[in-house]
Amino acid sequence: MLFNEQGIINMDELIAQQPSFQKIMADGIVTEEELKEQSERVINLLHEAEQRFSEEEQQFIKQLFAETNVLSAIYHYHELQNLNNYGNL
């Protein structure tokens, strides 16, 4: 299920269930090689989507991918703001 009872995306749960995430985080260290491998995994999936889906479906996936990354970026920015605000107290 994508959403919990409050209608919030279960992104953390979704990520934690991914075998790629579990493998990368098994030792608690993210290496340059793991970053490269994950980047390649995403690129390969995007290339597969180009082959598999219509132009309209690709546009939807592109928008979904972009907006999901916007959400991630602003969430992290918000967290940094909060850390910075705590440092100014």
Side-chain angles (χ1 to χ4, degrees), residues 10-60:
N10 284 326
M11 191 57 69
D12 291 340
E13 182 180 325
L14 200 65
I15 292 168
Q17 292 174 352
Q18 287 299 112
S20 56
F21 182 78
Q22 293 171 1
K23 179 182 173 204
I24 291 167
M25 297 308 296
D27 62 0
I29 298 169
V30 179
T31 65
E32 291 291 325
E33 182 63 28
E34 289 168 329
L35 283 169
K36 182 179 181 237
E37 288 174 2
Q38 184 63 22
S39 294
E40 290 171 358
R41 188 175 294 111
V42 170
I43 289 168
N44 288 336
L45 285 169
L46 291 171
H47 283 298
E48 184 179 335
E50 283 183 322
Q51 300 298 317
R52 188 183 286 198
F53 301 118
S54 70
E55 186 68 33
E56 184 178 318
E57 291 168 324
Q58 288 179 43
Q59 287 299 338
F60 178 80

Side-chain angles (χ1 to χ4, degrees), residues 11 15 64-82:
M11 191 57 69
I15 292 168
L64 177 61
F65 192 68
E67 293 296 342
T68 300
N69 282 282
V70 167
L71 178 60
S72 178
I74 64 171
Y75 175 81
H76 291 293
Y77 185 79
H78 184 262
E79 290 296 311
L80 289 173
Q81 285 177 175
N82 287 338

